[in-house]
Amino acid sequence: MQQSVVEALPICPCEYKYNPVCGSDGITYMNECVLQCSSNQSPSVLKVSDGECKTCICQQVNLPVCTLEGLTFPNECELACENIKRINAKQPIIYLAYRAACVGPLTGCTDLASPVCGTDDILYRNQCVLDVTSSYLIKEGKQAIEVKNNGACLDGCLCPQDAQPVCGSDGRVYNNPCYLACQNRRNSCSKYSFLNIVDDSVCYACHCKPEESPVCGTDGRTYNNPCELNCEAKRQGDSYLAIASYGKCSECYCTQENVPVCGSDQTSYINECHLRCANYVDGGKRSVYYYGECEPRGCNCNTCPPEYQPMCGTDGRTYWNLCWLNCNAGCLSRDKNTSQSLFLKKRGACEL
């Protein structure tokens, strides 16, 4: 396994998806945001190119990933470096199973990339991987994992495991700045205030027991318990903030900001918040199919079968199955307002 020789840097408020870039220091960074954040600490570091550096030295990031062989790598960059070595040695590559440390052996599962999101908000390569992992957890006396939805995890959060606690302006302590940034992404297009890192006194001014007794505030926001609502009222100095009803808020707390997404139910939503709200209202298992409206204007692919057999298109989008990809390709070819074309890039999801 490739070992990094680089000292760990402060954790950045970035999304730690693996979209590697090479820095002028010869180190491969998780993505451009992480490099830019790191360059704030060391201004001499600049982006040289997309992709891994030729020397394949990784930035130290505690973001473990598990392979189908049951091997845990410190991060996805280390796994990529191992595969580069294997390709050069003409050996079979090893496949990512899920983005967390391995919890048990993964026997009998194929390398088919047909991702499912677990109830632990971790994306698994396919349902077999999820089921085998869940069975192992049950034997260990831990909570089972079930399929939350096909495709990407709406609430998944890829953050380093290192503890660098920060106090958020919502009065909650986050394990590190990345987790606070994740919460802001979840709240995008909602009416929740943007969170900032504030003085620790904001988080410790009010102490609440971690009990689940949700209440809906007069601001339309759900609080874990009445104590948390009262703390928020004190922080804001808002004497009008009170309990509107017991239980979670029933109405959608979204803006009308037009940032359309196509849901996995092949329905367009005005933004991701409205998609989340639809799940909340009817208990659905929708996820983001892709960003943007569902189909080229005037194109109808609803005759395609509903089976989830993901295919990666040359546009970087994961299509529900080959029929959906071919249908959208045909729609593009008939659209006189675009010169785009669409082909099959690989079988399976683009992100795995």
Side-chain angles (χ1 to χ4, degrees):
M1 182 184 306
Q2 180 79 27
Q3 295 296 323
S4 173
V5 297
V6 188
E7 290 187 5
L9 292 169
I11 294 173
C12 300
C14 294
E15 192 168 8
Y16 279 74
K17 287 186 177 178
Y18 191 59
N19 189 17
V21 294
C22 180
S24 55
D25 53 359
I27 299 167
T28 298
Y29 291 83
M30 294 294 290
N31 53 53
E32 193 162 350
C33 174
V34 174
L35 183 145
Q36 291 294 338
C37 174
S38 300
S39 68
N40 292 336
Q41 308 291 327
S42 178
S44 60
V45 179
L46 302 172
K47 175 183 170 182
V48 173
S49 63
D50 293 318
E52 294 94 356
C53 299
K54 292 180 180 178
T55 51
C56 214
I57 299 174
C58 299
Q59 180 193 25
Q60 279 193 347
V61 181
N62 183 16
L63 196 66
V65 296
C66 181
T67 70
L68 286 175
E69 290 75 14
L71 299 172
T72 297
F73 284 79
N75 54 61
E76 204 161 340
C77 178
E78 300 281 4
L79 172 59
C81 286
E82 175 64 23
N83 277 329
I84 289 171
K85 286 166 56 180
R86 286 172 172 256
I87 290 169
N88 290 338
K90 295 185 171 22
Q91 295 175 339
I93 64 170
I94 49 182
Y95 290 94
L96 177 70
Y98 51 86
R99 292 179 175 91
C102 295
V103 295
L106 293 169
T107 54
C109 293
T110 72
D111 59 13
L112 175 68
S114 183
V116 292
C117 179
T119 46
D120 55 357
D121 286 319
I122 292 175
L123 187 67
Y124 292 85
R125 188 172 194 88
N126 51 54
Q127 187 162 350
C128 173
V129 172
L130 183 149
D131 290 341
V132 171
T133 304
S134 182
S135 297
Y136 185 84
L137 288 172
I138 293 170
K139 289 178 184 176
E140 293 290 303
K142 298 177 182 177
Q143 188 170 358
I145 308 166
E146 297 179 357
V147 175
K148 190 174 184 179
N149 60 262
N150 288 324
C153 293
L154 273 177
D155 294 318
C157 192
L158 292 174
C159 283
Q161 302 302 299
D162 308 75
Q164 292 180 12
V166 293
C167 177
S169 50
D170 59 350
R172 296 179 182 178
V173 177
Y174 293 84
N175 196 47
N176 58 53
C178 175
Y179 283 101
L180 185 143
C182 277
Q183 189 61 48
N184 275 328
R185 284 193 291 274
R186 292 188 189 111
N187 290 347
S188 63
C189 297
S190 76
K191 296 177 184 177
Y192 293 127
S193 301
F194 185 85
L195 301 178
N196 294 298
I197 296 175
V198 297
D199 188 83
D200 288 352
S201 61
V202 172
C203 289
Y204 297 106
C206 192
H207 299 279
C208 293
K209 294 180 180 179
E211 60 179 352
E212 280 290 326
S213 180
V215 293
C216 181
T218 49
D219 59 353
R221 179 176 178 176
T222 298
Y223 294 85
N224 285 334
N225 50 59
C227 177
E228 288 197 5
L229 184 146
N230 291 331
C231 284
E232 183 66 16
K234 289 177 183 177
R235 273 191 291 271
Q236 295 184 11
D238 185 355
S239 59
Y240 295 100
L241 178 56
I243 296 174
S245 62
Y246 288 89
K248 294 182 178 180
C249 299
S250 59
E251 295 185 4
C252 211
Y253 199 54
C254 300
T255 67
Q256 296 303 307
E257 186 177 356
N258 189 27
V259 188
V261 296
C262 179
S264 54
D265 58 349
Q266 284 83 53
T267 299
S268 293
Y269 295 87
I270 188 171
N271 56 50
E272 192 171 326
C273 180
H274 281 272
L275 186 152
R276 292 170 184 271
C277 184
N279 278 343
Y280 175 78
V281 169
D282 63 13
K285 295 185 176 182
R286 303 169 186 83
S287 182
V288 174
Y289 187 7
Y290 53 77
Y291 291 90
E293 294 188 3
C294 279
E295 299 161 357
R297 196 169 294 173
C299 182
N300 189 341
C301 299
N302 289 328
T303 55
C304 285
E307 285 77 21
Y308 186 63
Q309 297 172 344
M311 301 288 164
C312 179
T314 48
D315 57 355
R317 289 176 173 174
T318 298
Y319 289 85
W320 205 247
N321 52 44
L322 187 58
C323 175
W324 271 91
L325 187 149
N326 288 336
C327 177
N328 279 268
C331 293
L332 279 173
S333 67
R334 295 192 297 272
D335 188 349
K336 297 179 181 179
N337 296 318
T338 181
S339 59
Q340 288 181 302
S341 56
L342 173 62
F343 302 97
L344 176 66
K345 184 177 181 180
K346 68 169 185 175
R347 292 183 177 272
C350 294
E351 59 269 23
L352 286 173

